[in-house]
């Protein structure tokens, strides 16, 4: 069991990330106000992206930088939980929200633009995070519990 340590969204591609304290999560939009969650092509497997705080910290240490986690462009920063490294695992956030892991979040060239070597630092063991689909919506907030559903 872990907790949500951060929530971020961006309104359109390449837009700056907005860090928020709480968000509405829906089947149609993912994180409300985040462009990626509402993309077409049902089921859309990349509605919500999650990254482990420890993985981001390890990558920062590896490249010798201290860049804010939101620059990874992930929606949720997770502390205290090893995110599953396979598709089909359900994650419950708070009382209502359920996500299902879909694919690894592959590090892109944007990471290399942030810091030389960052793309490679995020590559092993799904360190760049996981993308998920929304199974059940609701409200989430920083500090909410996140756990794997058995």
């Amino acid at each position: 069991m872990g907790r949500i340590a951060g929530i971020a969204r961006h309104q359109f591609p390449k837009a700056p990330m907005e860090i928020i304290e709480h968000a509405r999560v829906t089947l149609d939009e993912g994180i409300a106000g985040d462009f990626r969650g509402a993309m077409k092509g049902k089921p859309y497997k990349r509605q919500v992206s999650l990254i482990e705080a420890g993985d981001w910290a390890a990558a920062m240490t590896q490249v010798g930088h201290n860049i804010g986690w939101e620059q990874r462009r992930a929606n949720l920063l997770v502390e205290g939980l090893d995110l599953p490294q396979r598709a089909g695992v359900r994650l419950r956030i708070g009382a209502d929200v359920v996500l299902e892991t879909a694919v690894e979040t592959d590090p892109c060239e944007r990471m290399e633009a942030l810091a030389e070597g960052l793309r490679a630092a995020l590559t092993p063991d799904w360190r760049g995070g996981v993308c998920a689909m929304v199974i059940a919506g609701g409200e989430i907030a920083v500090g909410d519990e996140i756990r794997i559903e058995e």
Side-chain angles (χ1 to χ4, degrees), residues 12 38 58 64-65 76:
F12 52 89
H65 285 276
L76 303 177

Side-chain angles (χ1 to χ4, degrees), residues 15 22 27 45 67 73 99 102 108 118 139:
H22 53 84
L27 295 170
K45 296 181 178 184
I67 300 167
R73 307 192 67 76
L99 305 178
C108 66
L118 182 54
E139 299 288 326

Side-chain angles (χ1 to χ4, degrees), residues 49-70:
S49 57
L50 304 92
I51 189 167
E52 293 177 35
D55 284 347
W56 182 253
M60 289 296 97
T61 298
Q62 188 172 332
V63 297
H65 285 276
N66 187 18
I67 300 167
W69 73 273
E70 74 284 356

